[in-house]
Coordinates of all heavy atoms in Angstrom, one line a residue:
Chain A
Q188 N 2.7 4.4 1.1 CA 3.4 5.0 2.3 C 4.1 6.2 1.9 O 4.6 6.4 0.8 CB 4.2 3.9 3.0 CG 3.4 2.8 3.7 CD 4.2 2.2 4.8 OE1 5.4 2.2 4.9 NE2 3.5 1.6 5.8
L189 N 4.3 7.1 2.9 CA 5.1 8.2 2.7 C 6.6 7.9 2.8 O 6.9 6.9 3.5 CB 4.7 9.3 3.8 CG 3.3 9.6 3.9 CD1 3.0 10.5 5.0 CD2 2.8 10.2 2.6
N190 N 7.4 8.6 2.2 CA 8.8 8.4 2.2 C 9.4 9.2 3.4 O 9.5 10.5 3.4 CB 9.5 8.8 0.9 CG 9.0 7.9 -0.2 OD1 9.0 6.7 -0.1 ND2 8.6 8.6 -1.3
Q191 N 9.9 8.5 4.4 CA 10.4 9.1 5.6 C 11.9 8.8 5.8 O 12.4 7.7 5.5 CB 9.7 8.5 6.8 CG 10.0 9.3 8.2 CD 9.1 8.8 9.2 OE1 8.0 8.2 9.1 NE2 9.4 9.2 10.5
S192 N 12.7 9.9 6.1 CA 14.1 9.7 6.3 C 14.6 10.5 7.5 O 14.0 11.5 7.8 CB 14.8 10.0 5.0 OG 14.6 11.4 4.7
P193 N 15.7 10.1 8.1 CA 16.4 8.8 7.9 C 15.6 7.7 8.5 O 14.7 7.9 9.2 CB 17.7 9.1 8.6 CG 17.4 10.0 9.7 CD 16.3 10.9 9.2
Q194 N 16.1 6.5 8.2 CA 15.5 5.3 8.7 C 15.8 5.1 10.2 O 15.0 4.6 10.9 CB 15.8 4.0 7.9 CG 15.2 3.9 6.6 CD 15.5 2.5 5.9 OE1 16.5 1.9 6.2 NE2 14.6 2.1 5.1
M206 N 14.1 15.1 11.1 CA 13.7 14.0 10.3 C 12.6 14.6 9.3 O 12.0 15.6 9.7 CB 13.1 12.8 11.1 CG 12.0 13.1 12.0 SD 11.7 11.8 13.1 CE 12.9 12.0 14.3
N207 N 12.5 13.9 8.1 CA 11.5 14.6 7.2 C 10.7 13.5 6.5 O 11.1 12.3 6.6 CB 12.1 15.5 6.3 CG 13.1 14.8 5.3 OD1 12.7 14.1 4.4 ND2 14.3 15.0 5.5
C208 N 9.7 13.9 5.8 CA 8.7 13.1 5.2 C 8.3 13.7 3.9 O 8.0 14.9 3.8 CB 7.5 12.9 6.1 SG 6.6 11.5 5.9
T209 N 8.2 12.9 2.8 CA 7.8 13.4 1.5 C 6.8 12.5 0.9 O 6.7 11.3 1.2 CB 9.0 13.6 0.5 OG1 9.5 12.3 0.3 CG2 9.9 14.6 1.0
T216 N -3.6 17.6 6.0 CA -3.1 17.6 7.3 C -1.9 16.7 7.5 O -1.9 15.6 6.9 CB -4.2 17.2 8.3 OG1 -5.3 18.1 8.2 CG2 -3.6 17.2 9.7
W217 N -0.9 17.2 8.1 CA 0.3 16.3 8.4 C 0.4 16.1 9.9 O 0.1 17.0 10.7 CB 1.6 17.0 7.9 CG 1.9 16.8 6.5 CD1 1.4 17.7 5.5 CD2 2.6 15.9 5.8 NE1 1.8 17.3 4.2 CE2 2.6 16.1 4.4 CE3 3.3 14.7 6.2 CZ2 3.2 15.3 3.5 CZ3 3.9 14.0 5.3 CH2 3.9 14.2 3.9
L218 N 0.7 14.9 10.3 CA 0.8 14.5 11.7 C 2.1 13.9 12.0 O 2.7 13.2 11.1 CB -0.4 13.6 12.0 CG -1.8 14.0 11.7 CD1 -2.7 12.9 11.6 CD2 -2.2 15.1 12.6
W219 N 2.6 14.1 13.2 CA 3.8 13.3 13.7 C 3.4 12.5 15.0 O 2.8 13.1 15.8 CB 4.9 14.3 14.0 CG 5.5 14.8 12.7 CD1 5.2 15.9 12.0 CD2 6.6 14.2 11.9 NE1 6.0 16.0 10.9 CE2 6.9 15.0 10.8 CE3 7.3 13.0 12.1 CZ2 7.8 14.7 9.9 CZ3 8.3 12.7 11.1 CH2 8.5 13.5 10.1
Y220 N 3.8 11.3 14.9 CA 3.5 10.4 16.0 C 4.8 9.8 16.6 O 5.8 9.6 15.8 CB 2.6 9.1 15.5 CG 1.2 9.4 15.3 CD1 0.7 9.9 14.0 CD2 0.2 9.2 16.2 CE1 -0.6 10.2 13.8 CE2 -1.1 9.4 16.0 CZ -1.5 9.9 14.8 OH -2.9 10.2 14.6
K221 N 4.7 9.3 17.8 CA 5.8 8.6 18.4 C 5.2 7.2 18.9 O 4.2 7.2 19.5 CB 6.4 9.3 19.5 CG 7.6 8.6 20.3 CD 8.2 9.4 21.3 CE 9.4 8.7 22.0 NZ 9.1 8.2 23.2
Q222 N 6.0 6.2 18.6 CA 5.6 4.8 19.1 C 6.7 4.2 19.9 O 7.8 4.1 19.5 CB 5.3 3.9 17.9 CG 4.6 2.6 18.2 CD 4.2 1.8 17.1 OE1 4.8 1.9 16.0 NE2 3.2 0.9 17.2
D223 N 6.3 3.8 21.2 CA 7.2 3.1 22.0 C 7.0 1.6 21.9 O 5.9 1.2 21.4 CB 6.9 3.5 23.5 CG 7.4 5.0 23.7 OD1 8.3 5.5 23.1 OD2 6.7 5.6 24.6
P224 N 8.0 0.8 22.2 CA 7.8 -0.7 22.0 C 6.5 -1.2 22.8 O 6.3 -0.9 23.9 CB 9.1 -1.2 22.7 CG 10.1 -0.1 22.6 CD 9.3 1.2 22.7
G225 N 5.8 -2.0 22.0 CA 4.6 -2.6 22.6 C 3.4 -1.7 22.8 O 2.5 -2.1 23.5
E226 N 3.5 -0.5 22.2 CA 2.4 0.4 22.4 C 2.0 0.9 21.0 O 2.7 0.8 20.0 CB 2.9 1.7 23.2 CG 3.3 1.3 24.6 CD 2.3 0.8 25.5 OE1 1.1 1.1 25.2 OE2 2.6 -0.1 26.3
G227 N 0.8 1.6 21.0 CA 0.4 2.2 19.8 C 0.9 3.6 19.6 O 1.5 4.1 20.5
P228 N 0.9 4.1 18.4 CA 1.4 5.5 18.2 C 0.6 6.5 19.0 O -0.6 6.4 19.2 CB 1.1 5.7 16.7 CG 1.0 4.3 16.1 CD 0.4 3.5 17.2
V229 N 1.4 7.6 19.4 CA 0.8 8.7 20.2 C 1.1 9.9 19.5 O 2.2 10.2 19.0 CB 1.4 8.7 21.6 CG1 0.9 10.0 22.3 CG2 1.1 7.5 22.4
L230 N 0.1 10.7 19.3 CA 0.2 12.0 18.5 C 1.0 13.0 19.3 O 0.9 13.3 20.4 CB -1.2 12.6 18.3 CG -1.3 13.9 17.4 CD1 -0.9 13.6 16.0 CD2 -2.7 14.5 17.4
L231 N 2.0 13.6 18.5 CA 2.9 14.6 19.0 C 2.5 16.0 18.5 O 2.4 17.0 19.3 CB 4.3 14.4 18.5 CG 5.0 13.1 18.9 CD1 6.4 12.9 18.3 CD2 5.1 13.0 20.5
I232 N 2.3 16.1 17.2 CA 2.0 17.4 16.6 C 1.1 17.2 15.4 O 1.2 16.2 14.6 CB 3.3 18.2 16.1 CG1 4.1 18.6 17.3 CG2 3.0 19.3 15.2 CD1 5.4 19.4 16.9
A233 N 0.2 18.1 15.2 CA -0.7 18.1 14.0 C -0.5 19.5 13.3 O -0.5 20.5 13.9 CB -2.2 18.0 14.4
L234 N -0.5 19.4 12.0 CA -0.3 20.6 11.1 C -1.4 20.7 10.2 O -1.7 19.7 9.4 CB 1.1 20.5 10.4 CG 2.3 20.4 11.3 CD1 3.4 19.7 10.6 CD2 2.8 21.8 11.8
L246 N 9.8 20.0 20.6 CA 9.5 19.5 19.2 C 9.0 20.7 18.3 O 8.2 21.5 18.8 CB 8.4 18.5 19.2 CG 8.5 17.3 20.2 CD1 7.3 16.4 20.0 CD2 9.8 16.5 19.8
A248 N 7.6 21.2 14.2 CA 7.3 20.6 12.9 C 6.7 21.6 11.9 O 6.2 22.7 12.3 CB 6.2 19.5 13.1
S257 N 6.9 17.4 5.1 CA 6.9 17.9 6.4 C 8.2 17.5 7.1 O 8.8 16.5 6.6 CB 5.7 17.3 7.2 OG 5.7 17.8 8.5
F258 N 8.6 18.3 8.0 CA 9.7 17.8 8.8 C 9.5 18.0 10.3 O 8.5 18.8 10.7 CB 11.0 18.6 8.5 CG 11.1 20.0 8.9 CD1 11.3 20.4 10.3 CD2 10.9 21.1 8.0 CE1 11.3 21.7 10.6 CE2 11.0 22.4 8.4 CZ 11.2 22.7 9.7
L259 N 10.2 17.2 11.2 CA 10.1 17.3 12.6 C 11.5 17.5 13.2 O 12.5 16.8 12.8 CB 9.5 16.0 13.1 CG 9.5 15.9 14.7 CD1 8.5 16.9 15.3 CD2 9.2 14.5 15.1
N260 N 11.7 18.5 14.0 CA 12.9 18.7 14.7 C 12.7 18.5 16.2 O 11.7 18.8 16.8 CB 13.4 20.2 14.6 CG 13.9 20.4 13.2 OD1 14.3 19.5 12.5 ND2 14.0 21.7 12.8
I261 N 13.7 17.8 16.8 CA 13.7 17.6 18.3 C 14.9 18.3 18.8 O 16.0 18.0 18.4 CB 13.7 16.2 18.7 CG1 12.5 15.4 18.0 CG2 13.6 16.0 20.2 CD1 12.6 13.9 18.3
D268 N 13.5 10.3 24.7 CA 13.0 10.6 23.3 C 13.2 9.3 22.4 O 12.7 9.3 21.3 CB 13.9 11.7 22.7 CG 13.5 13.1 23.2 OD1 12.4 13.3 23.8 OD2 14.4 13.9 23.2
V269 N 13.8 8.3 23.0 CA 14.0 7.1 22.3 C 12.7 6.5 21.8 O 11.7 6.5 22.6 CB 14.8 6.1 23.2 CG1 14.7 4.6 22.6 CG2 16.3 6.5 23.3
G270 N 12.6 6.0 20.6 CA 11.4 5.5 20.0 C 11.4 5.5 18.5 O 12.4 5.9 17.9
I271 N 10.2 5.2 18.0 CA 10.1 5.3 16.5 C 9.1 6.4 16.2 O 8.0 6.5 16.8 CB 9.5 4.0 16.0 CG1 10.3 2.8 16.4 CG2 9.4 4.1 14.5 CD1 9.8 1.4 15.9
Y272 N 9.5 7.3 15.4 CA 8.7 8.5 15.0 C 8.1 8.2 13.6 O 8.8 7.9 12.6 CB 9.6 9.7 15.0 CG 10.0 10.2 16.4 CD1 11.0 9.5 17.0 CD2 9.4 11.1 17.1 CE1 11.4 9.8 18.4 CE2 9.7 11.5 18.4 CZ 10.7 10.8 19.0 OH 11.1 11.1 20.3
F273 N 6.8 8.5 13.5 CA 6.2 8.4 12.2 C 5.5 9.6 11.8 O 4.9 10.4 12.6 CB 5.0 7.3 12.3 CG 5.5 5.9 12.5 CD1 5.5 5.3 13.8 CD2 5.9 5.1 11.4 CE1 5.9 4.0 14.0 CE2 6.3 3.8 11.6 CZ 6.3 3.3 12.9
C274 N 5.6 9.9 10.5 CA 4.8 11.0 9.9 C 3.5 10.3 9.4 O 3.5 9.1 9.1 CB 5.6 11.7 8.8 SG 6.1 10.7 7.4
A275 N 2.5 11.1 9.2 CA 1.2 10.6 8.7 C 0.6 11.7 8.0 O 0.6 12.9 8.5 CB 0.3 10.0 9.8
G276 N -0.1 11.4 6.8 CA -0.8 12.3 6.1 C -2.3 12.0 6.2 O -2.7 10.9 6.2
L277 N -3.1 13.1 6.2 CA -4.5 12.9 6.2 C -5.1 13.7 5.0 O -4.9 14.8 4.8 CB -5.1 13.6 7.5 CG -6.6 13.6 7.7 CD1 -7.2 12.2 7.8 CD2 -7.0 14.4 9.0
L285 N -5.6 7.7 7.6 CA -4.2 8.1 7.7 C -3.3 7.2 6.8 O -3.5 6.0 6.7 CB -3.7 8.0 9.1 CG -4.4 8.9 10.2 CD1 -3.8 8.6 11.5 CD2 -4.2 10.4 9.9
T286 N -2.3 7.9 6.2 CA -1.3 7.2 5.5 C 0.0 7.5 6.2 O 0.4 8.7 6.4 CB -1.1 7.7 4.0 OG1 -2.4 7.5 3.4 CG2 -0.1 7.0 3.3
F287 N 0.8 6.5 6.6 CA 1.9 6.6 7.4 C 3.2 6.5 6.6 O 3.3 5.8 5.6 CB 1.9 5.5 8.5 CG 1.0 5.8 9.7 CD1 -0.3 5.5 9.6 CD2 1.5 6.4 10.8 CE1 -1.2 5.7 10.7 CE2 0.6 6.7 11.9 CZ -0.7 6.3 11.8
G288 N 4.3 7.1 7.2 CA 5.6 6.8 6.7 C 6.2 5.6 7.3 O 5.5 4.9 8.1
Q289 N 7.4 5.2 6.9 CA 8.0 3.9 7.4 C 8.6 4.0 8.7 O 8.9 3.0 9.4 CB 9.1 3.5 6.4 CG 8.6 3.3 5.0 CD 9.0 4.5 4.1 OE1 8.9 5.6 4.5 NE2 9.4 4.3 2.9
G290 N 8.7 5.2 9.2 CA 9.3 5.5 10.6 C 10.8 5.8 10.6 O 11.5 5.4 9.8
T291 N 11.1 6.5 11.6 CA 12.6 6.8 12.0 C 12.8 6.3 13.4 O 12.1 6.7 14.3 CB 12.8 8.3 11.9 OG1 12.7 8.8 10.6 CG2 14.2 8.6 12.4
I292 N 13.8 5.4 13.5 CA 14.1 4.9 14.8 C 15.2 5.7 15.5 O 16.2 5.9 14.8 CB 14.7 3.4 14.6 CG1 13.7 2.5 14.0 CG2 15.1 2.9 16.0 CD1 14.2 1.1 13.6
L293 N 14.8 6.3 16.6 CA 15.7 7.2 17.2 C 16.3 6.5 18.5 O 15.6 6.0 19.3 CB 15.0 8.5 17.6 CG 15.8 9.5 18.4 CD1 17.0 10.0 17.5 CD2 15.0 10.7 18.9
Chain B
Y1401 N -5.7 -0.8 11.6 CA -4.5 -0.7 10.9 C -3.6 -2.0 11.0 O -3.7 -2.6 12.1 CB -3.6 0.5 11.3 CG -4.3 1.8 11.1 CD1 -5.1 2.4 12.0 CD2 -3.9 2.6 9.9 CE1 -5.6 3.7 11.8 CE2 -4.5 3.8 9.7 CZ -5.4 4.3 10.7 OH -5.9 5.6 10.4
Q1402 N -2.9 -2.3 10.0 CA -1.9 -3.4 10.0 C -0.5 -2.9 10.0 O -0.2 -2.0 9.1 CB -2.1 -4.3 8.8 CG -1.2 -5.6 8.8 CD -1.3 -6.3 7.5 OE1 -1.1 -5.7 6.4 NE2 -1.7 -7.6 7.5
Q1403 N 0.3 -3.3 11.0 CA 1.7 -2.8 11.0 C 2.7 -3.9 10.9 O 2.9 -4.7 11.8 CB 2.0 -2.0 12.3 CG 3.3 -1.3 12.3 CD 3.6 -0.5 13.5 OE1 2.9 -0.6 14.6 NE2 4.4 0.5 13.4
A1404 N 3.3 -4.1 9.7 CA 4.3 -5.1 9.5 C 5.6 -4.7 10.2 O 5.8 -3.5 10.5 CB 4.5 -5.4 8.0
L1405 N 6.4 -5.7 10.5 CA 7.6 -5.4 11.2 C 8.5 -4.4 10.5 O 8.8 -4.5 9.2 CB 8.4 -6.7 11.4 CG 9.6 -6.7 12.2 CD1 9.3 -6.4 13.6 CD2 10.4 -8.0 12.2
G1406 N 8.9 -3.4 11.2 CA 9.7 -2.3 10.6 C 9.1 -1.4 9.6 O 9.7 -0.6 8.9
Q1407 N 7.7 -1.4 9.6 CA 7.0 -0.5 8.8 C 6.0 0.3 9.6 O 5.8 0.1 10.7 CB 6.2 -1.3 7.7 CG 7.0 -2.2 6.8 CD 7.9 -1.4 5.9 OE1 7.4 -0.4 5.3 NE2 9.1 -1.8 5.7
G1408 N 5.4 1.3 8.9 CA 4.4 2.1 9.5 C 3.1 1.4 9.4 O 2.9 0.5 8.6
P1409 N 2.1 1.8 10.2 CA 0.7 1.2 10.1 C 0.1 1.5 8.7 O 0.3 2.5 8.1 CB 0.0 2.0 11.1 CG 1.0 2.5 12.2 CD 2.2 2.8 11.3
E1410 N -0.6 0.5 8.3 CA -1.4 0.7 7.0 C -2.9 0.5 7.2 O -3.3 -0.5 7.9 CB -0.9 -0.3 6.0 CG 0.5 0.0 5.4 CD 0.8 -0.8 4.1 OE1 -0.2 -1.0 3.4 OE2 2.0 -1.0 3.8
V1455 N 1.5 -6.6 13.5 CA 0.7 -6.0 14.7 C -0.5 -5.4 14.2 O -0.5 -4.6 13.2 CB 1.6 -5.0 15.4 CG1 0.8 -4.3 16.5 CG2 2.8 -5.7 16.1
L1457 N -3.4 -2.8 14.8 CA -3.7 -1.7 15.7 C -5.2 -1.2 15.5 O -5.6 -1.2 14.3 CB -2.8 -0.6 15.4 CG -1.3 -0.7 15.7 CD1 -0.5 0.4 15.0 CD2 -1.1 -0.6 17.2
Y1470 N -8.0 18.3 13.1 CA -7.9 16.8 13.1 C -8.7 16.3 14.3 O -8.4 16.7 15.5 CB -6.5 16.5 13.1 CG -6.2 14.9 13.3 CD1 -6.7 14.1 12.4 CD2 -5.4 14.5 14.3 CE1 -6.5 12.7 12.6 CE2 -5.1 13.2 14.5 CZ -5.6 12.3 13.7 OH -5.4 10.9 13.8
F1475 N -4.8 5.4 19.7 CA -4.5 4.0 19.3 C -4.4 3.1 20.5 O -4.0 3.5 21.6 CB -3.1 3.9 18.6 CG -3.2 4.4 17.1 CD1 -3.1 5.8 16.9 CD2 -3.2 3.5 16.1 CE1 -3.2 6.2 15.5 CE2 -3.3 3.9 14.8 CZ -3.2 5.3 14.5

Side-chain angles (χ1 to χ4, degrees):
Chain A
Q188 288 206 334
L189 305 177
N190 295 313
Q191 189 172 343
S192 64
Q194 286 189 330
M206 59 193 78
N207 66 69
C208 205
T209 60
T216 299
W217 281 88
L218 306 159
W219 286 91
Y220 284 86
K221 179 175 184 258
Q222 187 175 27
D223 292 327
E226 301 295 329
V229 174
L230 182 66
L231 299 174
I232 289 183
L234 301 155
L246 307 179
S257 178
F258 73 75
L259 175 71
N260 286 343
I261 306 173
D268 290 334
V269 165
I271 307 176
Y272 291 79
F273 292 98
C274 59
L277 176 66
L285 295 177
T286 301
F287 283 85
Q289 305 99 318
T291 295
I292 302 171
L293 180 62
Chain B
Y1401 294 87
Q1402 180 190 57
Q1403 186 174 22
L1405 187 64
Q1407 298 295 316
E1410 288 198 28
V1455 174
L1457 294 165
Y1470 170 57
F1475 283 82

